[in-house]
Amino acid sequence: MMELSMYIDGEWRKGSENQKREIINPANGEVIAEAAEGTVSDTRVAIQAARKAFDQGNWPSLSAEERAGYLLRVADKIDERHDELTALETMDNGKPLREAGYDVSDAAACFRYYAGLILAPHGETYNVPDNMQAMVIREPIGVCGLIVPWNYPLLMSVWKIAPALAAGNTIVYKPSELTPVTPTKLFEIFEEIGLPRGVANMVMGAGETVGNEIAVSDDVDMISFTGGTDTGRHIMKAASGNMKKISLELGGKSPNIIFADTDLENAVDFALFGIYAGAGQICSAGSRILVEKSIKDAFIARFVERANKIKVGPGDDPQTEMGPLVSQEQLDKVLRYIEIGKAEGAEIACGGYRLTDRDYGKGFFVAPTAFIQTKPDMRIVQEEIFGPVAVFQTFKDEAEAVKLANDTKYGLAGGVFTRDAAKAMRVIKKVRAGITWVNTYHGTYNEAPWHGYKQSGIGSSLGTYGLDEFLETKQINFNLNVEPIGWFSD
Ligand code: NAD
């Protein structure tokens, strides 16, 4: 069994109260690790380490090229340990090896992307009316608190850590209490490549203690959070004490709009991928499938036929196409929503149950599930379930499709399937969401921003926007005519 420690001020540490948390393999319920449980006092020590590292200036004042060098060495080490990290991600989160493998490769690519971007031009100059050179330079913000969820333990962390460090900030990072395994390996890599002490600190533990302390601390200058909308709301309030900058990537209930003129096989394929990849535990999941009425029966029949064939199983079985849910708590939540859907009068088209045959009962497996006969105000239509549960809705024309698509408090993602290019563009422009796709679903790129509308978030990850989140903007007015202004008489 692995023993996982926290990484604070360049040292591996146990929690100050010596508490530990068991880390469970969601495929079989076995304990795979014991993780140090951080306390408020551990968090304060980590914040002070990051504060000192920032204020002493060693990291922010390194040349961008030197910081990029560290990031590139991290990327190389991730690649070297690709198979080990993939296996650990599967063991900790449950996702199939092929999904975990993509995440690990993407994590390395994200470090490389920000190593390159930090060397690109970042300033501007302005022509102003006076004899003045006006310019803008970008500077790091300071100590950044980074808090992430369990659905992409490594990749979500890297989406924050890579741009934060590239920009010259120091960090206090908290992984999800459920999935600290690959984050610990990432910090081993930081130690191995000689990242200066105090620059990157990791505190493990509960959101209510460690996470909350990061959010309220006056010594933290910015908080970048990914997780549920309710937690995001709490963090926003907690961060208001010292007016921290905030960046929030939150939940979703994203529409996948299927028009009758689409290529049906392509649309079914992506609709399945949209909801059942990651066992539905993806913030941008296409969890509401909106189908034009005239093809509803054919579409749903083909969708259900294929959903029933999805190979559900432990992520480390190469045959597995969909893994378990991450925890008992998440399993209970998803099963509860399935009962809510039935009680609300929706009908199950496929799945709707926990898998318990063979050894599955030891893990947290739910069959790919879809509801039909839904109504827009049902809870299963409005609320994020975060599991392999699709809800079908139907529409008669473009206007109704757009209305239904926008009819939740979320605005994270959305897809449109049609052969009519102008219609695709009209509809996607009206979908109130930050991440959208036409005739595809789920592709994410380090180069392009990731951003939620409405209650799905504030600010952006990835791309140039993701780096901007971690930078201040400073105006400098440089006088080219050094002589008294004479505003007041002498
Ligand atoms: P969560 O909100 O329960 O937890 C996320 C993180 O916040 C964890 O590290 C947790 O310990 C911490 N936390 C919990 N309470 C806290 C508090 N009071 N103060 C500070 N930190 C606290 O979310 P989860 O269940 O881990 O993840 C699932 C959610 O994440 C879903 O809603 C999903 O949509 C969202 N998500 C969003 C994105 C995105 O990019 N928009 C990406 C992945 C996941």
Side-chain angles (χ1 to χ4, degrees):
M1 190 172 46
M2 291 174 275
E3 289 280 337
L4 307 178
S5 300
M6 300 186 286
Y7 193 69
I8 299 174
D9 205 13
E11 285 171 8
W12 295 97
R13 299 196 192 178
K14 308 274 175 230
S16 60
E17 288 170 13
N18 226 4
Q19 303 268 333
K20 290 178 183 166
R21 184 186 289 262
E22 290 186 337
I23 306 301
I24 307 287
N25 179 342
N28 55 25
E30 284 171 11
V31 178
I32 53 170
E34 274 187 345
E37 181 74 6
T39 60
V40 168
S41 115
D42 295 319
T43 314
R44 288 183 181 156
V45 173
I47 292 170
Q48 287 318 314
R51 186 77 268 161
K52 192 166 147 204
F54 186 81
D55 293 345
Q56 288 184 343
N58 300 339
W59 183 252
S61 60
L62 281 188
S63 71
E65 190 192 13
E66 284 170 302
R67 286 200 304 273
Y70 282 102
L71 266 59
L72 291 173
R73 290 202 287 286
V74 172
D76 289 346
K77 290 283 173 196
I78 292 175
D79 280 343
E80 274 171 30
R81 294 173 72 169
H82 180 275
D83 293 352
E84 175 204 353
L85 291 169
T86 300
L88 289 172
E89 196 75 319
T90 291
M91 198 191 291
D92 194 6
N93 166 280
K95 61 178 68 188
L97 286 170
R98 64 175 174 175
E99 290 183 19
Y102 275 120
D103 293 359
V104 174
S105 300
D106 245 17
C110 189
F111 272 106
R112 289 202 178 93
Y113 173 74
Y114 283 110
L117 191 63
I118 201 62
L119 299 177
H122 290 291
E124 283 143 20
T125 61
Y126 302 94
N127 293 321
V128 293
D130 292 329
N131 197 4
M132 196 79 70
Q133 180 59 62
M135 64 186 100
V136 152
I137 61 166
R138 312 302 306 276
E139 296 182 327
I141 293 174
V143 175
C144 296
L146 314 177
I147 302 177
V148 300
W150 44 258
N151 63 337
Y152 287 86
L154 180 67
L155 190 58
M156 276 308 102
S157 309
V158 170
W159 281 17
K160 297 184 187 306
I161 293 173
L165 293 182
N169 301 287
T170 60
I171 63 167
V172 179
Y173 155 82
K174 188 190 103 56
S176 165
E177 55 274 39
L178 297 179
T179 52
V181 176
T182 51
T184 308
K185 299 294 153 192
L186 181 63
F187 277 72
E188 282 177 16
I189 289 175
F190 290 162
E191 184 185 37
E192 209 180 323
I193 61 138
L195 196 72
R197 70 185 286 172
V199 170
N201 304 275
M202 174 180 59
V203 189
M204 300 189 286
E208 296 73 23
T209 48
V210 175
N212 186 63
E213 183 59 26
I214 295 172
V216 296
S217 171
D218 282 356
D219 284 322
V220 174
D221 303 299
M222 182 211 178
I223 190 140
S224 175
F225 168 78
T226 299
T229 293
D230 287 342
T231 317
R233 195 169 285 116
H234 172 87
I235 284 183
M236 219 172 152
K237 287 183 194 149
S240 68
N242 67 335
M243 297 287 171
K244 278 181 195 63
K245 303 212 160 0
I246 49 172
S247 177
L248 306 173
E249 300 285 357
L250 308 175
K253 189 75 182 180
S254 300
N256 204 351
I257 307 169
I258 319 288
F259 283 100
D261 65 1
T262 192
D263 175 328
L264 190 123
E265 281 301 315
N266 181 60
V268 167
D269 200 53
F270 276 107
L272 291 161
F273 183 53
I275 180 61
Y276 299 130
Q281 302 165 113
I282 300 183
C283 51
S284 54
S287 49
R288 291 186 297 133
I289 306 175
L290 279 51
V291 186
E292 191 162 352
K293 274 192 181 124
S294 57
I295 58 156
K296 146 180 113 66
D297 292 339
F299 188 93
I300 293 173
R302 182 71 178 128
F303 180 96
V304 166
E305 183 191 355
R306 291 211 35 206
N308 284 331
K309 287 189 196 156
I310 291 174
K311 295 184 192 74
V312 181
D316 62 0
D317 178 344
Q319 303 298 315
T320 291
E321 295 177 323
M322 194 181 98
L325 297 173
V326 74
S327 64
Q328 179 73 48
E329 193 187 350
Q330 196 62 19
L331 172 72
D332 293 344
K333 179 181 167 197
V334 170
L335 294 176
R336 206 162 51 238
Y337 267 111
I338 290 173
E339 290 313 310
I340 289 171
K342 289 192 221 162
E344 286 179 313
E347 275 175 36
I348 299 250
C350 57
Y353 52 88
R354 177 181 183 181
L355 296 173
T356 49
D357 56 330
R358 292 179 277 165
D359 277 343
Y360 286 5
K362 294 182 187 159
F364 313 127
F365 297 94
V366 170
T369 298
F371 277 105
I372 53 174
Q373 305 292 350
T374 65
K375 295 202 174 68
D377 60 352
M378 286 178 174
R379 285 185 63 191
I380 54 164
V381 176
Q382 291 296 325
E383 297 174 17
E384 185 185 48
I385 299 174
F386 222 55
V389 183
V391 295
F392 277 99
Q393 299 179 267
T394 58
F395 62 86
K396 61 178 184 315
D397 56 22
E398 212 175 301
E400 192 183 13
V402 169
K403 183 167 177 292
L404 288 173
N406 291 331
D407 182 30
T408 75
K409 68 180 180 184
Y410 295 110
L412 190 59
V416 175
F417 286 80
T418 172
R419 286 195 169 98
D420 179 337
K423 179 160 70 178
M425 198 64 189
R426 278 197 305 274
V427 171
I428 213 73
K429 283 182 74 177
K430 286 187 185 143
V431 171
R432 302 288 301 155
I435 307 144
T436 62
W437 296 280
V438 174
N439 294 330
T440 182
Y441 207 90
H442 267 330
T444 314
Y445 305 96
N446 288 319
E447 295 77 4
W450 182 268
H451 168 92
Y453 283 22
K454 292 155 74 179
Q455 293 188 35
S456 288
I458 296 175
S460 298
S461 298
L462 298 182
T464 55
Y465 296 77
L467 182 65
D468 283 346
E469 294 286 312
F470 291 102
L471 287 165
E472 294 276 20
T473 301
K474 177 178 283 177
Q475 176 185 155
I476 301 177
N477 295 300
F478 202 118
N479 192 357
L480 303 178
N481 185 26
V482 183
E483 58 183 40
I485 187 173
W487 186 267
F488 297 108
S489 48
D490 193 352

